[in-house]
């Protein structure tokens, strides 16, 4: 495929995985399997390989992603990284597909919300680094949003960012 999907097109909710297959026609098409609670996020691989991905949302079984539907658009956390097949690695954030390692030049992040800056800045400690994910969970915010705001705060000198494996950790200045 020359250009991958850049947006998720949520096609609806179903009770069972096999019911989602008829809804998923194009790369980036998605459906949520719900039986009492969200169980799976079914997704036609956005890179165009043709495979259908089943992203587990049920924390009672194996590794589970978090689905957030704020604003009516899906966000998955953490990123989706296929270790087989097409080996795609991407972020689903407020309905956008952001590619990691390939096709990055066409990435378009969701709109930035400067109203989050003060709230997030106040939650950062000044004596130690704290992960953006931890801040997000404490504030009930989307981790991708918090990480971006923290990076912005670091760029303008209001926060300090960690390095290496703590590059997404921050403290207040």
């Amino acid at each position: 495929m020359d250009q991958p999907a850049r947006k998720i097109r949520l096609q609806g909710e179903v009770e069972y995985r096999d019911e989602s297959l008829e809804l998923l026609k194009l790369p980036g098409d998605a459906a949520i399997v719900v039986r009492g609670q969200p169980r799976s996020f079914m997704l036609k691989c956005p890179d165009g390989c043709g495979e259908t991905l089943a992203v587990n949302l049920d924390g009672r079984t194996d590794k589970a992603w978090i689905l957030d539907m704020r604003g009516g658009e899906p966000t998955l956390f953490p990123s989706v990284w296929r270790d087989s097949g097409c080996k795609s690695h991407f972020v689903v954030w407020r309905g956008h597909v952001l590619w990691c390692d390939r096709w990055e030049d066409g990435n378009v992040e969701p709109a930035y919300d400067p109203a989050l800056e003060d709230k997030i800045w106040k939650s950062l400690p000044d004596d130690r680094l704290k992960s953006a994910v931890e801040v997000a969970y404490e504030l009930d915010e989307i981790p991708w949003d918090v990480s971006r705001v923290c990076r912005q705060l670091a760029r303008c000198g209001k926060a300090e960012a960690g390095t290496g494996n703590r590059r997404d950790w921050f403290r207040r200045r």
Side-chain angles (χ1 to χ4, degrees):
M1 176 175 216
D2 291 333
Q3 287 297 312
R6 298 291 180 177
K7 294 284 282 181
I8 297 296
R9 289 174 303 283
L10 194 56
Q11 303 298 314
E13 292 184 2
V14 296
E15 192 172 356
Y16 296 99
R17 284 184 184 190
D18 60 337
E19 296 170 349
S20 71
L21 301 179
E22 63 191 45
L23 300 176
L24 309 181
K25 305 287 187 216
L26 300 172
D29 284 354
I32 303 170
V33 177
V34 179
R35 283 189 312 282
Q37 67 183 47
R39 303 293 179 148
S40 300
F41 189 81
M42 302 299 292
L43 176 64
K44 186 65 91 169
C45 189
D47 87 338
C49 71
E51 292 190 40
T52 299
L53 312 179
V55 179
N56 180 38
L57 303 175
D58 189 348
R60 299 172 304 169
T61 64
D62 205 13
K63 177 182 176 182
W65 280 254
I66 295 169
L67 173 66
D68 192 304
M69 290 297 298
R70 280 176 235 215
E73 297 288 346
T75 295
L76 290 174
F77 188 81
S79 63
V80 177
W81 196 339
R82 299 199 57 208
D83 56 5
S84 63
C86 66
K87 301 199 183 260
S88 289
H89 183 199
F90 55 92
V91 170
V92 175
W93 180 12
R94 294 188 183 265
H96 294 253
V97 177
L98 301 173
W99 291 92
C100 307
D101 300 331
R102 50 181 184 158
W103 299 307
E104 288 181 17
D105 288 344
N107 283 348
V108 177
E109 292 183 351
Y112 184 80
D113 182 2
L116 289 175
E117 288 181 7
D118 192 52
K119 178 180 178 182
I120 291 170
W121 183 80
K122 287 177 179 174
S123 73
L124 294 174
D126 55 11
D127 61 341
R128 64 180 174 81
L129 293 171
K130 187 175 190 179
S131 80
V133 172
E134 184 180 352
V135 172
Y137 291 151
E138 287 175 2
L139 298 177
D140 190 31
E141 295 292 345
I142 294 173
W144 306 120
D145 288 337
V146 172
S147 179
R148 177 172 55 177
V149 167
C150 285
R151 289 191 311 274
Q152 176 60 27
L153 291 170
R155 277 192 294 275
C156 68
K158 294 180 180 178
E160 178 183 334
T163 59
N165 64 356
R166 287 189 162 208
R167 70 178 181 271
D168 208 35
W169 291 55
F170 302 87
R171 73 182 185 100
R172 191 173 9 161
R173 283 197 169 184

